[in-house]
Amino acid sequence: MANDIQNIINKTELNLQDLSQLLNLEGEEQKLLFRKAEEVQLKYVGNKVYYRGLIEFSNVCSKNCYYCGIRKDNKNVERYNISDDDIVNAAVFAWKNRYASIVIQGGERSDNHFVNRIDHLIKRIKEATNAEIGITLSLGEQTKETYQKWFNSGAHRYLLRIESSTKELYEQIHPKDELHHFNTRLNCLHLLRKIGYQTGTGVMIGLPGQTFDDLARDLLFMKEFDIDMCGMGPYIEHKDTPLYKERHKLWHIGKRFNTALNMIAVLRILMKDINIAAATALQAIDPMGREKALKHGANVIMPNITPTLNRKNYQLYENKPCIDEGAEDCGNCMNMRIELANREVGLGQWGDSKHYFNRTNP
Ligand code: SAM
Ligand code: SF4
């Protein structure tokens, strides 16, 4: 059996069945997969891990994704919106601590006020950091004009998870209305790429009813779309969301975690030079979850630099880690964790996706 796995791992082309089989590995066979992923990681992207200081600047959202704790209709959340000055200060904190990049993430809004506010913020952050900080946005679906505007102002990476590339599953975890359309999501990913962003996507792993084949198709989707970056992690239920009633269908949390690590390792083998983030949700399950991902494929980590007071209200799922820590604690803790994973922090470097520069087509 171990021989079979070794043969699959060494193939030049992995098909759906191969991928599905790899995603299900445990024990000794999983170690073979992890060893290969680490080998590819060290060869193609090196042993550096890059920081993206994460600013979860607002939990106000106009959408109602069935899985998300900050969905519009959840009345049990205290809504917040961090001031512009606090956001700029957080970015300056990241810059001074040589994080080199930030991620601006929040609930999705597309009104003019919001679009212009973000635009203004991007410019202010660039100005306050001598144009040295790299800016990734994670602000959901927007129009082509909005994406272009933010790109022109200085954002150069964008993260928009496809959540699941299986259309039927996507439709099961979102309301059936104009605001939540699979084709719109796909179209947004194409727009981002066309505009010139380093384009990132990802999925949730272990959704109710999701199969290994669905996840294998997600990996093939990423390969075919030719993404530059990926952020994916386990789905974790939240009691104030509609998807909670489907929890009887869930895999055990350990299996979701294990499969998430396998997804990262397999994706590293499949797309050798992309950036892969070690998602925070991994740490919600295992205190060493993100370090494990860094050992076997992931090369980006997102220390939370959101002002502490607001963190408790950005609970996408239960047991979200580090909600009581300040940005300084987060950074120190992170340095230690990366050393434990036998990796080096790429301080002061943007750590852009190598794939973005290696790919020839726009
Ligand atoms: N609103 C933007 C968007 O949806 O792209 C950015 C913020 S959203 C909270 C970021 C990601 O959180 C989503 O893409 C989703 O995959 C993830 N997420 C939401 N609820 C989750 C849950 N219950 N478990 C795991 N991840 C979750
Ligand atoms: Fe809003 Fe994003 Fe949560 Fe969906 S996943 S409800 S768009 S914050």
Side-chain angles (χ1 to χ4, degrees):
M1 194 60 185
N3 271 347
D4 291 352
I5 297 302
Q6 196 65 56
N7 287 340
I8 296 178
I9 290 172
N10 289 329
K11 279 180 159 184
T12 42
E13 289 272 326
L14 295 168
N15 62 30
L16 184 88
Q17 203 188 348
D18 298 328
L19 294 170
S20 206
Q21 202 173 335
L22 293 179
L23 293 179
N24 204 353
L25 295 183
E26 294 173 355
E28 286 307 309
E29 289 177 340
Q30 185 183 43
K31 285 191 190 146
L32 294 175
L33 167 67
F34 284 175
R35 209 172 298 147
K36 177 72 178 185
E38 179 165 21
E39 199 182 296
V40 173
Q41 176 179 8
L42 294 177
K43 180 165 173 197
Y44 289 87
V45 291
N47 79 331
K48 288 219 171 114
V49 169
Y50 301 100
Y51 279 167
R52 312 278 183 248
L54 176 64
I55 309 173
E56 297 165 332
F57 78 99
S58 171
N59 64 358
V60 178
C61 187
S62 59
K63 290 179 82 170
N64 260 317
C65 308
Y66 288 157
Y67 43 85
C68 180
I70 61 169
R71 63 197 299 275
K72 183 180 174 200
D73 287 353
N74 182 8
K75 303 289 178 241
N76 296 334
V77 184
E78 197 184 315
R79 302 289 164 175
Y80 72 87
N81 210 333
I82 296 177
S83 74
D84 287 6
D85 284 350
D86 284 348
I87 298 172
V88 175
N89 288 341
V92 168
F93 167 88
W95 176 58
K96 287 194 171 150
N97 284 277
R98 305 184 64 224
Y99 283 11
S101 284
I102 53 167
V103 179
I104 301 181
Q105 191 184 80
E108 185 178 312
R109 284 176 56 184
S110 49
D111 50 281
N112 276 343
H113 173 77
F114 180 82
V115 170
N116 291 331
R117 179 184 180 209
I118 297 295
D119 193 53
H120 183 64
L121 269 169
I122 297 169
K123 290 178 182 150
R124 265 191 73 185
I125 289 170
K126 281 285 180 185
E127 217 176 278
T129 61
N130 210 10
E132 283 173 12
I133 202 110
I135 303 181
T136 306
L137 300 178
S138 174
L139 300 169
E141 295 168 5
Q142 304 290 341
T143 62
K144 181 176 166 204
E145 290 69 34
T146 299
Y147 285 146
Q148 185 72 60
K149 192 180 174 89
W150 293 344
F151 185 77
N152 294 347
S153 296
H156 78 293
R157 308 185 196 106
Y158 205 103
L159 272 178
L160 180 67
R161 287 185 176 180
I162 189 74
E163 315 295 359
S164 168
S165 66
T166 303
K167 190 165 182 263
E168 298 71 40
L169 186 53
Y170 185 94
E171 287 169 354
Q172 280 164 30
I173 61 171
H174 293 98
K176 284 170 201 46
D177 60 27
E178 277 314 301
L179 265 188
H180 304 80
H181 222 288
F182 182 74
N183 290 344
T184 310
R185 174 91 27 148
L186 258 186
N187 191 37
C188 283
L189 283 170
H190 284 290
L191 288 174
L192 289 165
R193 187 183 158 100
K194 216 165 164 191
I195 288 168
Y197 281 97
Q198 292 180 36
T199 307
T201 195
V203 293
M204 281 178 288
I205 298 152
L207 287 161
Q210 196 177 35
T211 64
F212 283 109
D213 277 3
D214 290 330
L215 291 167
R217 269 190 290 275
D218 289 336
L219 294 175
L220 290 173
F221 166 83
M222 293 181 209
K223 172 96 180 156
E224 198 176 300
F225 187 90
D226 202 23
I227 57 163
D228 302 308
M229 329 183 285
C230 178
M232 59 183 167
Y235 162 69
I236 303 175
E237 61 274 34
H238 188 300
K239 64 176 174 18
D240 296 328
T241 62
L243 208 57
Y244 195 65
K245 67 176 185 315
E246 306 280 323
R247 65 191 181 284
H248 59 282
K249 294 188 194 159
L250 287 174
W251 291 339
H252 179 267
I253 194 80
K255 181 168 170 178
R256 276 178 264 162
F257 177 77
N258 196 52
T259 310
L261 288 185
N262 288 352
M263 282 284 280
I264 289 173
V266 177
L267 183 63
R268 174 57 68 202
I269 296 170
L270 205 60
M271 300 192 74
K272 299 180 169 32
D273 56 355
I274 64 168
N275 276 353
I276 305 179
T280 312
L282 288 166
Q283 200 191 337
I285 301 179
D286 177 338
M288 294 296 285
R290 287 189 295 184
E291 294 66 26
K292 288 180 182 168
L294 293 176
K295 283 282 298 164
H296 314 118
N299 65 331
V300 165
I301 199 160
M302 307 198 286
N304 199 334
I305 56 169
T306 311
T308 314
L309 268 180
N310 303 103
R311 291 192 193 184
K312 67 176 187 332
N313 290 319
Y314 201 85
Q315 294 255 36
L316 312 176
Y317 43 79
E318 286 162 10
N319 293 328
K320 190 158 177 268
C322 306
I323 53 175
D324 298 322
E325 281 164 47
E328 305 261 2
D329 309 328
C330 234
N332 293 337
C333 156
M334 199 72 72
N335 288 341
M336 199 182 69
R337 286 164 176 274
I338 289 170
E339 276 164 29
L340 279 177
N342 222 359
R343 296 283 176 267
E344 194 190 318
V345 188
L347 278 182
Q349 299 159 44
W350 275 11
D352 276 328
S353 163
K354 286 195 163 60
H355 186 75
Y356 177 83
F357 299 102
N358 289 342
R359 65 175 157 91
T360 44
N361 49 342

